[in-house]
């Protein structure tokens, strides 16, 4: 769910090739009720027709569900020229989009971008094709990545200007990213951190060392114990810049590899996937300067591992 800072109620602006108007929602409620309150110059019958014909969207995501929850501060998009294009993919859910950024919830088992000569479908290839359906000159830019087997929230840019601002000011523009994981064994400390140096090896693995003379980038992972089960531990993990496989390597270094992570010391795989999910992103919008918060709940199947 998006939790933005409040903007001026009733703000309206036009965007894109269609006649799309965007309104900041002043008060929470079901979609039909919210749309009726904002579109006061339309009859209730007309608003219902627009909902039925996919002409309404919340934060860029079309919906025909009359009782879909809408929060104060969300954006109601109205397409007066016709139906919104519906995006549907089994491993990608669009959480939020506007003219400058997009936030998605990625499923596990999908690469963010192509690796080497791989022909596998990626987040980038799917979303590139999607945005070009409406405008052949549109672009999508990956500004950070999730591992193939990690699920959860990803932030992307829709313009080169937005991409450059985020990438060149990463810690300021994306001050917080949090993950939840189930790690093997019982972690006895309530909180702590792992700090060492990470470097890429020739076999596509990431190696860690406490000795900076061996090379690599300094990396810090903070952790907090959320719940201890009979066999494993539910952890909250967060980082700032991030290195490839950082959380996975650091949990191995802690002595508690992530469940399902055979690459980095895991021994169990009860749910047949890596038990790591990106649950939260805080970002500063590269154009409006608005601080935005996005959350994605940890998959319910993770709880089976405790």
């Amino acid at each position: 769910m998006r939790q933005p800072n409040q903007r001026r109620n009733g703000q309206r602006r036009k965007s894109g090739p269609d006649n799309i108007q965007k309104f900041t929602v002043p008060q929470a409620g079901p979609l039909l009720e919210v749309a009726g309150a904002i579109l006061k110059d339309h009859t209730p019958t007309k608003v219902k027709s627009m909902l039925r014909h996919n002409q309404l969207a919340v934060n860029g995501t079309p919906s025909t569900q009359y009782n879909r929850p809408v929060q104060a501060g969300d954006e109601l998009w109205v397409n007066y020229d016709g139906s919104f294009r519906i995006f549907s993919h089994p491993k990608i859910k669009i959480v939020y989009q506007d003219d400058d950024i997009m936030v998605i919830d990625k499923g596990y088992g999908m690469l963010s971008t192509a690796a080497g000569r791989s022909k596998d479908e990626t987040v980038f290839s799917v979303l590139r094709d999607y945005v070009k359906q409406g405008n052949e000159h549109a672009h999508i830019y990956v500004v950070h990545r999730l591992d193939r087997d990690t699920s959860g929230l990803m932030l992307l840019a829709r313009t080169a200007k937005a991409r450059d601002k985020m990438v060149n000011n990463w810690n300021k523009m994306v001050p917080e990213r949090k993950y939840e994981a189930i790690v093997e064994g019982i972690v006895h400390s309530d909180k702590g951190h792992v700090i060492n140096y990470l470097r890429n090896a020739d076999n596509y693995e990431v190696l860690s060392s406490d000795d900076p003379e061996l090379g690599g980038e300094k990396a810090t992972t903070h952790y907090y114990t959320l719940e201890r089960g009979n066999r494993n531990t539910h952890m909250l993990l967060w980082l700032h810049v991030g290195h490839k496989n950082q959380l996975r390597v650091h949990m191995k270094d802690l002595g508690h590899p992530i469940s399902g992570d055979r690459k980095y010391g895991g021994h169990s795989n009860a749910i047949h996937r890596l038990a790591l999910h990106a649950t939260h992103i805080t970002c500063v919008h590269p154009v409006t300067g608005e601080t935005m918060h996005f959350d994605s709940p940890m998959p319910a199947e993770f709880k089976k591992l405790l």
Side-chain angles (χ1 to χ4, degrees):
M1 178 185 296
R2 179 197 170 201
Q3 302 171 345
N5 284 356
Q6 189 72 26
R7 283 187 281 178
R8 182 166 58 87
N9 293 342
Q11 179 178 344
R12 173 174 174 165
R13 57 192 175 93
K14 183 176 178 180
S15 172
D18 290 337
N19 183 15
I20 298 174
Q21 303 292 336
K22 301 179 182 180
F23 304 85
T24 301
V25 175
Q27 185 173 345
L31 177 55
L32 182 59
E33 180 180 310
V34 167
I38 289 176
L39 302 174
K40 294 179 180 178
D41 53 342
H42 291 71
T43 66
T45 300
K46 176 61 176 177
V47 175
K48 289 180 181 178
S49 176
M50 296 174 79
L51 177 65
R52 187 169 60 252
H53 290 95
N54 276 315
Q55 290 179 261
L56 303 180
V58 179
N59 297 329
T61 302
S63 178
T64 58
Q65 182 182 347
Y66 75 93
N67 60 348
R68 181 206 189 282
V70 181
Q71 304 300 320
D74 282 347
E75 278 193 342
L76 175 69
W77 293 22
V78 182
N79 189 345
Y80 291 99
D81 287 347
S83 301
F84 283 104
R85 289 176 294 113
I86 304 298
F87 175 82
S88 178
H89 190 278
K91 289 188 179 293
I92 301 175
K93 176 185 176 183
I94 296 178
V95 176
Y96 174 84
Q97 62 175 322
D98 60 27
D99 297 335
D100 308 293
I101 66 171
M102 181 184 292
V103 178
I104 67 161
D105 201 334
K106 181 185 88 70
Y108 76 94
M110 187 176 200
L111 288 167
S112 299
T113 58
R117 297 181 179 180
S118 172
K119 300 295 184 180
D120 291 346
E121 190 176 61
T122 66
V123 168
F124 171 74
S125 67
V126 170
L127 294 178
R128 175 198 59 202
D129 294 345
Y130 164 66
V131 299
K132 286 186 177 296
Q133 288 176 11
N135 178 0
E136 64 179 7
H137 300 295
H139 295 280
I140 197 79
Y141 301 94
V142 174
V143 295
H144 73 107
R145 304 180 188 187
L146 293 180
D147 293 342
R148 180 198 293 267
D149 295 322
T150 301
S151 56
L153 296 171
M154 273 186 68
L155 174 66
L156 303 101
R158 299 195 63 174
T159 68
K161 182 178 179 181
R163 174 201 61 193
D164 292 345
K165 187 165 185 178
M166 286 190 286
V167 170
N168 295 333
N169 304 277
W170 184 254
N171 286 346
K172 179 180 178 181
M173 301 301 294
V174 188
E176 191 170 64
R177 285 187 292 155
K178 294 181 178 179
Y179 298 73
E180 290 184 38
I182 306 298
V183 302
E184 295 185 357
I186 305 302
V187 179
H188 296 290
S189 57
D190 292 334
K191 60 182 179 180
H193 57 261
V194 179
I195 304 175
N196 54 27
Y197 296 85
L198 302 180
R199 66 185 189 278
N200 296 325
D202 293 336
N203 60 355
Y204 298 103
E205 288 193 24
V206 174
L207 303 178
S208 64
S209 172
D210 294 325
D211 185 356
E213 297 298 324
L214 295 178
E217 299 176 356
K218 187 176 182 179
T220 301
T221 296
H222 302 276
Y223 65 86
Y224 183 86
T225 299
L226 294 173
E227 182 181 0
R228 297 179 180 92
N230 294 324
R231 301 165 296 164
N232 299 320
T233 305
H234 179 192
M235 305 286 287
L236 176 67
L237 312 173
W238 66 97
L239 44 72
H240 298 289
V241 178
H243 188 286
K244 175 186 175 183
N245 295 170
Q246 177 176 324
L247 299 179
R248 299 166 64 181
V249 175
H250 277 177
M251 289 303 97
K252 175 186 177 183
D253 292 343
L254 189 65
H256 297 278
I258 296 173
S259 178
D261 196 356
R262 298 291 176 84
K263 184 176 181 180
Y264 292 107
H267 300 288
S268 62
N269 193 10
I271 60 173
H272 308 291
R273 62 156 293 182
L274 181 71
L276 179 63
H277 184 77
T279 56
H280 177 83
I281 289 180
T282 294
C283 69
V284 177
H285 195 283
V287 175
T288 68
E290 176 185 7
T291 298
M292 308 172 75
H293 306 277
F294 300 93
D295 294 282
S296 170
M298 182 184 77
E301 61 184 342
F302 282 21
K303 285 287 188 178
K304 299 176 183 178
L305 299 171
L306 293 174

